[in-house]
């Protein structure tokens, strides 16, 4: 019990003194996850819009596939990315295994189906509202996509936030493809796992607090952002 | 662009016959009122002529290329569809679709806001204004593009007398500006006030096409005379 108490005190000291290791790991976590999030959004949001407005041949299949992918355990994604990127794998020549890029790839694969699916839900609701009007105004495909994405931006922000939360808190996949290498691929979650197993609760707890604070800060920030747009709820 | 000619128009919903066969011709400058009881097919006829309803049979033909006619006709739905944007942005939307410059769009929107007395609510979300205000906004959003042809589906159903008056005078003045109107109503009074020509529809069939003057004195179908007299048509 004393150990844990000491750990908590030390954890706050680490945070308070802006421990360089702590900062480095936290920034790396943000860098990896925000990159994955950006790539995911670029793929997921237009894809969700296309799934909403277009009746193409493999639409149902794509939606089913997305839902299936959403349920894929992250560790399995890690394993698959590992196989693809490993020396003997198809992309082995790129030498990406145990790099931040590999981690970004894994996180992107994990959260893209999630963001697409949540975004699709809200876009579908908006589209059922807008359908007749936009058809009547003779809008082009691009105009429809733009209109839907813009008018659903708050819901889409929430969708990407869910993706962020999932990515930054994920440990299994990035452990496999990143390798948790000190000063290279060690991020908040993998560091917590390591320090805990070593019995160094202080750093583990400090990292844990940072992880929680990051998520809360982002949530508040997003909430505030959509509030300051002053319209509030539609 | 005129005349608009419809030939042998038939509309079905899931195999259920709801409209037609309808033949009609609409000339420039008309205020054509589709009059008929609920469920007679007014909405279906308007949407079919506007080209947003799949036809089972027949055709709708403008005297110009389709690429030309689609941009010059607007449709105001019975239940106004508001974009989840401010009142002001609802007005600029169709102009921005047509690549009108931002400055000009803003200027025209400001003028229209004044005309529909919504200047004070210009930044309010359009989904939050009253039903009558929404209907006026929907009408202004259609008229701001200066359409050659305006379709309206029961624009004053469920509106109070004052708003009905305002909308009717907006319609009168847009006809003076050269817009041709086809609207539906089940309100005989409104048909008397506005119509140049009456299209009486019952059970999906156009039973009379007559000038308003003749129609109200000597309707050419028994159902129409019952309808005018306020009797129930079975
Ligand atoms: N989407 C639809 N699916 C099935 N039936 C429909 C649909 N829309 C309209 N109908 C039917 O078509 C008939 C005509 O409807 P409508 O054109 O809306 O008439 P009105 O506008 O004169 O009230 C009605 O019997 C209605 O029940
Ligand atoms: Mg109707």
């Amino acid at each position: 019990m004393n150990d844990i108490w000491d750990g908590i005190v030390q954890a706050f000291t680490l945070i308070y003194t802006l421990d360089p290791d702590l900062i480095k790991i936290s920034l790396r976590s943000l860098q990896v996850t925000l990159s994955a999030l950006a790539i995911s959004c670029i793929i997921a949001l237009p894809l969700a819009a296309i799934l909403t407005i277009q009746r193409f041949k493999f639409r149902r299949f794509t939606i089913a596939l997305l839902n299936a992918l959403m349920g894929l355990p992250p560790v399995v994604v890690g394993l698959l990315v590992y196989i693809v990127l490993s020396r003997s794998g198809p992309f082995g020549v790129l030498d990406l295994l145990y790099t931040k890029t590999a981690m970004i790839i894994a996180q992107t694969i994990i959260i893209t189906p999630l963001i697409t699916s949540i975004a699709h839900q809200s876009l579908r609701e908006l589209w059922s509202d807008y359908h007749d009007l936009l058809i009547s105004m003779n809008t082009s495909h691009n105009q429809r996509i733009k209109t839907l994405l813009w008018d659903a931006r708050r819901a889409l922000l929430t969708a990407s936030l869910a993706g962020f939360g999932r990515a930054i808190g994920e440990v299994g996949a990035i452990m496999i493809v990143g390798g948790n290498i000190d000063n290279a691929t060690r991020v908040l979650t993998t560091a917590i796992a390591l320090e805990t197993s070593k019995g160094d609760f202080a750093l583990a707890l400090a990292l844990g607090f940072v992880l929680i604070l990051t998520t809360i800060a982002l949530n508040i920030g997003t909430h505030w952002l959509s509030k300051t747009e002053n319209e509030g709820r539609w | 662009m005129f005349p608009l000619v419809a030939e042998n128009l038939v509309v079905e919903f899931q195999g259920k016959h709801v409209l037609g066969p309808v033949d009609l011709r609409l000339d420039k400058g008309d205020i054509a009122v589709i009059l008929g009881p609920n469920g007679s097919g007014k909405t279906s006829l308007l949407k079919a002529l506007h080209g947003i309803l799949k036809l089972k049979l027949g055709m709708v033909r403008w005297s110009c290329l389709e690429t030309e006619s689609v941009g010059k006709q607007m449709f105001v739905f019975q239940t106004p569809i508001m974009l989840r944007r401010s009142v002001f942005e609802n007005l600029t939307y169709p102009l921005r679709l047509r690549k009108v410059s931002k400055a000009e769009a803003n200027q025209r929107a400001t003028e229209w806001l004044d005309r529909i007395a919504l200047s004070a609510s210009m930044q309010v979300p359009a989904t939050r204004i009253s039903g009558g205000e929404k209907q006026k906004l929907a009408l202004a959003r259609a008229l701001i593009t200066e359409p050659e042809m305006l379709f309206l589906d029961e624009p004053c159903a469920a509106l109070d007398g004052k708003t009905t008056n305002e909308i009717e005078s907006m319609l009168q003045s847009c006809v003076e500006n050269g817009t041709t109107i086809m609207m539906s109503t089940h309100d005989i009074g409104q048909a008397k006030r506005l119509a140049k020509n009456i299209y009486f529809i019952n059970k999906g069939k156009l039973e009379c096409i007559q000038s308003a003057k003749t129609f109200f004195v000597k309707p050419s179908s028994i159902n129409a005379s019952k309808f005018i007299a306020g009797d129930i048509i079975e």
Side-chain angles (χ1 to χ4, degrees):
Chain A
M1 192 62 213
N2 252 349
D3 275 2
I4 296 175
W5 181 245
D6 280 353
I8 294 177
V9 174
Q10 281 181 46
F12 275 104
T13 318
L14 285 175
I15 296 174
Y16 185 71
T17 57
L18 298 176
D19 178 72
D21 270 346
L22 185 71
I23 301 287
K24 245 184 352 204
I25 294 175
S26 307
L27 288 180
R28 193 176 299 124
S29 242
L30 277 180
Q31 188 202 347
V32 169
T33 299
L34 289 177
S35 309
L37 184 64
I39 299 170
S40 284
C41 286
I42 290 172
I43 302 168
L45 303 184
L47 177 61
I50 290 169
L51 285 173
T52 307
I53 62 168
Q54 222 153 328
R55 294 279 169 272
F56 54 93
K57 207 171 168 190
F58 296 109
R59 187 175 155 273
R60 295 213 145 273
F61 173 77
T62 313
I63 293 173
L65 185 71
L66 278 170
N67 288 332
L69 286 176
M70 208 164 51
L72 212 59
V75 186
V76 176
V77 174
L79 180 61
L80 295 176
V81 174
Y82 182 92
I83 292 171
V84 171
L85 295 184
S86 69
R87 274 287 142 72
S88 48
F91 293 101
V93 284
L94 297 176
D95 219 8
L96 287 176
L97 202 59
Y98 303 134
T99 62
K100 281 186 280 188
T101 311
M103 294 156 77
I104 293 172
I105 293 172
Q107 288 196 348
T108 305
I109 294 174
I110 292 168
I111 62 174
T112 302
L114 178 76
I115 298 178
T116 312
S117 195
I118 303 179
H120 181 229
Q121 293 287 343
S122 27
L123 290 178
R124 213 170 44 177
E125 189 251 329
L126 186 63
W127 180 234
S128 72
D129 211 23
Y130 279 13
H131 177 270
D132 285 1
L133 181 70
L134 296 194
I135 299 282
S136 150
M137 284 188 171
N138 191 37
T139 46
S140 68
H141 260 283
N142 280 340
Q143 289 172 331
R144 283 172 203 175
I145 291 178
K146 268 195 217 157
T147 304
L148 286 181
L149 290 180
W150 178 248
D151 287 4
R153 60 192 179 280
R154 271 182 210 83
L156 299 181
L157 205 60
T158 311
S160 45
L161 210 63
F164 178 85
R166 177 118 195 239
I168 199 151
E170 202 281 322
V171 54
I174 49 167
M175 186 77 100
I176 296 176
V177 302
N180 194 22
I181 301 166
D182 197 11
N183 275 322
T185 58
R186 184 161 300 167
V187 290
L188 286 169
T189 51
T190 55
I192 291 173
L194 179 71
E195 300 306 327
T196 308
S197 68
K198 283 197 324 201
D200 184 355
F201 290 118
L203 188 53
L205 274 170
L207 293 161
F209 280 127
V210 173
L211 188 56
I212 293 170
L213 285 178
T214 315
T215 319
I216 293 177
L218 211 88
N219 270 292
I220 293 175
T222 315
H223 186 72
W224 177 78
L225 210 90
S226 44
K227 261 277 158 63
T228 49
E229 265 201 355
N230 86 39
E231 294 102 329
R233 273 183 57 80
W234 286 95
Chain B
M1 186 170 164
F2 290 92
L4 162 69
V5 177
E7 277 169 12
N8 196 33
L9 218 61
V10 175
V11 173
E12 284 183 1
F13 285 117
Q14 289 116 33
K16 182 185 156 218
H17 178 97
V18 300
L19 181 70
V22 164
D23 291 271
L24 63 80
R25 174 198 160 103
L26 186 72
D27 288 299
K28 188 170 171 59
D30 203 348
I31 309 180
V33 171
I34 302 172
L35 186 64
N38 275 325
S40 55
K42 301 184 293 296
T43 303
S44 307
L45 177 56
L46 284 170
K47 286 185 174 174
L49 293 174
H50 181 45
I52 58 171
L53 206 60
K54 202 164 159 270
L55 304 179
K56 175 75 183 171
L57 279 177
M59 61 189 300
V60 174
R61 204 155 23 91
W62 292 94
S63 310
C64 65
L65 292 176
E66 198 187 322
T67 47
E68 240 177 278
S69 63
V70 285
K72 293 180 180 167
Q73 43 174 316
M74 290 299 254
F75 196 104
V76 177
F77 295 90
Q78 176 165 2
T79 320
I81 303 174
M82 294 289 108
L83 294 169
R84 298 181 193 180
R85 302 181 177 198
S86 67
V87 167
F88 189 75
E89 286 166 319
N90 263 273
L91 281 173
T92 51
Y93 184 76
L95 296 177
R96 299 297 287 152
L97 287 181
R98 286 167 169 73
K99 312 272 180 260
V100 174
S101 76
K102 201 165 191 162
E104 194 191 332
N106 288 351
Q107 193 214 325
R108 276 159 73 178
T110 311
E111 286 166 23
W112 274 99
L113 274 175
D114 192 39
R115 225 171 292 181
I116 57 175
L118 276 179
S119 301
S121 325
M122 66 181 278
Q123 293 306 339
V124 174
T127 45
R128 290 234 201 101
I129 57 181
S130 76
E133 288 169 336
K134 280 181 191 168
Q135 194 57 268
K136 280 193 283 182
L137 180 58
L139 180 54
R141 187 178 59 193
L143 292 178
I144 200 169
T145 64
E146 296 172 348
E148 301 245 349
M149 177 73 215
L150 178 65
F151 294 102
L152 302 112
D153 194 9
E154 308 211 26
C156 302
L159 292 188
D160 58 48
K162 179 172 173 287
T163 319
T164 302
N165 243 333
E166 287 167 357
I167 287 184
E168 286 185 5
S169 63
M170 276 170 84
L171 294 179
Q172 302 274 18
S173 71
C174 96
V175 169
E176 279 158 27
N177 287 329
T179 303
T180 306
I181 287 184
M182 182 171 241
M183 62 181 278
S184 73
T185 184
H186 64 262
D187 175 356
I188 296 164
Q190 182 165 59
K192 277 187 181 160
R193 289 190 297 274
L194 293 176
K196 281 187 190 158
N197 288 298
I198 300 274
Y199 294 69
F200 179 75
I201 187 170
N202 185 35
K203 297 200 177 94
K205 297 253 170 9
L206 276 183
E207 292 190 358
C208 326
I209 302 180
Q210 294 178 278
S211 77
K213 266 190 211 130
T214 338
F215 177 82
F216 288 110
V217 182
K218 211 167 168 248
S220 61
S221 93
I222 296 176
N223 288 323
S225 37
K226 281 190 189 167
F227 189 74
I228 297 170
D231 293 342
I232 294 166
I233 309 172
E234 281 184 44

